[in-house]
Structures are given as structure tokens and as C-alpha cells.
């Protein structure tokens, strides 16, 4: 039949051999929503896990004020519209000889039948970097998400929280190579925590600490969960701002 031979991998560990077939092709974190990458971007699968841990299900407003490549905003928009994770991409199994395009089309249409129409601009993404804003805007428009996601160039420290009287705040601050020194990273994270305490009382939040030791800067109790990103240990802080 038509199609190509699937990639088969053999992994050996001592006397045990494991055979696996690559049915995916590109890594699963690549949703197919964006063609751009920021510096040290959060993977879509990690963003989905963070939303799951923090209890965000795409039903309340979300503010992503340091959006960077926009992973959190695009993932939240997919949750809000009930778009299946693989709806915008292809998979390697589509090239297998036994693949049935009609059956796959039926399964996709069945999954997409559950799509929702969320409130307009439920997701608010912003960044101080004009290039990040431009690239995310292009991705939002290309994927017909402009009614769900609003994208603007704003400095997090200048945003007036009154634009979002309720909802969920998610922040992945710059760290590592994106800042000049660890001291600068600590200073910025401390200022972010101060802004959260002062301006976002009552909001639920998810905040990634560049290092577990920085949790003390938050200044109030929060739930924590270890994360591994960029080859280093990070810490997820989440809960509600008192």
C-alpha cells in the first residue's frame, strides 16, 4: 500500500531490549500553533501540566503579562475553545501503509465537534518586547484565535489590574541567559512578587520561580510543585493572592 515504513527504534539496557515505533514524528509538545520560539520557551506540554496542577481549565479570564513566545496564552486558548492538542499538526502514523484517512478524518471531526466559543478576549497576553508581541500576534491570527486572545505590548509593572477584575494570572519570568546575572534574576523576581502582592489580591495565580530558593520572595503561603525546565530545577508557586 501507500505510505512509508515507520521508524523503529531499539534500546538496549544490559540484557533487555525494547523496540518502539515512532507514531508521532515531531515531538508531542509541538502543537502546530506557532512557528516561532522565544528564549528558553516553556514547552506546550509543560504549560498544560502547570494549568492542570494549578486548576486552570480555560473557563476564567487569564492574564499572561510576560508572555514571551506565548505558550501559556495559546495553550489556554485551546483549553477555552476545547481544541484537541493535536488538531493543528500532522503525525507520522499518517504515512503508514495501514493508515486510513477516512477513519482519521472521522475521529478528528468527532473531537472537533465539542469545540466551544469562549468569551471574547478571555486570554490577555502582553510583553515588553515588541518582537515577541509581533510573533505571537501572527500566531494568534494564523490560527483564528484573535477573538479569544488579545495581544498587546505592555510592561508588566505598568499594567492596571482593574482591566481584569477577576481571573487567573500566569507568569514565567525571564531568567538564566535572558538576564545578565543571577543577582539580576533575583531582583526582578522579587519585584514581580511585590507587584503581585500589591495589585492582584484575590486572584488565582501560577508563578514559575527560576530557583526553588526564590520562593521566599513571594511573601505569603502558596502551594509548590517542582519543575524541570531548561535542564534546571525550577519551582511552580500557585494558589490565591491573599
Amino acid at each position: 500500500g501507500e505510505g512509508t515504513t515507520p521508524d523503529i527504534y531499539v534500546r538496549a539496557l544490559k540484557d533487555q531490549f525494547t523496540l518502539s515505533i515512532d507514531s508521532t514524528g515531531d515531538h508531542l509538545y509541538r502543537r502546530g500553533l506557532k512557528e516561532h520560539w522565544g528564549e528558553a520557551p516553556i514547552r506546550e506540554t509543560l504549560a498544560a501540566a502547570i494549568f492542570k496542577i494549578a486548576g486552570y481549565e480555560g473557563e476564567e479570564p487569564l492574564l499572561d503579562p510576560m508572555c514571551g513566545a506565548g505558550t501559556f496564552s495559546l495553550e489556554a486558548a485551546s483549553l477555552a475553545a476545547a481544541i484537541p492538542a493535536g488538531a493543528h499538526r500532522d503525525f507520522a502514523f499518517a504515512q503508514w501503509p495501514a493508515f486510513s484517512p477516512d477513519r482519521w478524518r472521522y475521529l478528528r471531526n468527532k473531537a472537533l465537534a465539542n469545540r466551544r466559543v469562549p468569551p471574547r478576549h478571555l486570554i490577555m497576553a502582553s510583553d515588553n518586547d515588541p518582537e515577541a508581541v509581533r510573533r505571537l500576534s501572527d500566531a494568534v491570527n494564523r490560527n483564528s484565535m484573535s477573538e479569544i486572545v488579545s495581544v498587546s505590548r505592555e510592561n508588566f509593572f505598568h499594567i492596571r489590574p482593574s482591566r481584569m477584575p477577576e481571573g487567573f494570572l500566569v507568569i514565567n519570568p525571564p531568567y538564566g541567559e535572558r538576564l545578565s546575572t543571577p543577582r539580576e534574576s533575583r531582583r526582578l523576581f522579587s519585584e514581580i512578587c511585590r507587584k503581585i502582592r500589591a495589585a492582584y489580591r484575590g486572584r488565582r495565580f501560577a508563578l514559575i520561580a527560576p530557583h526553588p530558593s526564590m520562593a521566599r520572595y513571594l511573601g505569603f503561603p502558596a502551594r509548590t510543585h517542582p519543575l524541570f525546565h531548561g535542564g534546571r530545577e525550577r519551582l511552580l508557586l500557585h494558589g490565591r493572592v491573599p
Side-chain angles (χ1 to χ4, degrees), residues 18-197:
T18 302
L19 274 70
S20 60
I21 300 176
D22 179 15
S23 63
T24 304
D26 282 344
H27 294 292
L28 285 174
Y29 73 84
R30 295 188 174 181
R31 309 292 204 204
L33 287 169
K34 62 185 182 183
E35 299 174 351
H36 65 282
W37 306 97
E39 296 182 70
I42 287 286
R43 288 185 174 186
E44 285 78 353
T45 44
L46 182 55
I50 288 171
F51 282 145
K52 187 74 173 179
I53 292 168
Y56 181 77
E57 298 179 346
E59 297 178 352
E60 59 189 307
L62 180 126
L63 180 61
D64 182 8
M66 291 185 171
C67 64
T71 303
F72 277 117
S73 291
L74 294 172
E75 196 68 22
S78 296
L79 283 173
I83 300 173
H88 293 89
R89 57 161 291 167
D90 296 322
F91 296 90
F93 61 73
Q95 302 300 317
W96 292 3
F99 175 70
S100 171
D102 291 339
R103 182 174 297 178
W104 177 239
R105 190 178 303 110
Y106 168 78
L107 292 173
R108 281 177 55 88
N109 291 340
K110 186 176 181 180
L112 290 170
N114 297 319
R115 289 189 60 171
R116 299 188 295 257
V117 179
R120 190 171 188 271
H121 291 171
L122 185 73
I123 315 299
M124 290 162 280
S126 59
D127 201 283
N128 200 37
D129 180 358
E131 185 63 16
V133 170
R134 184 192 66 78
R135 290 177 177 177
L136 179 56
S137 296
D138 289 345
V140 165
N141 292 329
R142 187 171 57 252
N143 292 286
S144 302
M145 289 182 168
S146 58
E147 288 296 307
I148 308 173
V149 183
S150 69
V151 186
S152 61
R153 183 187 178 189
E154 295 185 72
N155 186 315
F156 166 66
F157 298 103
H158 299 161
I159 294 176
R160 303 180 66 177
S162 58
R163 62 181 286 199
M164 190 189 78
E166 60 181 5
F168 193 93
L169 173 70
V170 61
I171 299 180
N172 175 33
Y175 50 78
E177 295 76 12
R178 296 161 71 186
L179 291 176
S180 56
T181 65
R183 181 178 180 180
E184 177 69 9
S185 181
R186 290 193 297 271
R187 184 194 64 78
L188 175 60
F189 191 76
S190 177
E191 291 180 357
I192 290 171
C193 291
R194 188 180 301 115
K195 174 74 172 182
I196 291 174
R197 291 195 304 271

Side-chain angles (χ1 to χ4, degrees), residues 132 136 207 211:
L136 179 56
L207 171 65
H211 190 275

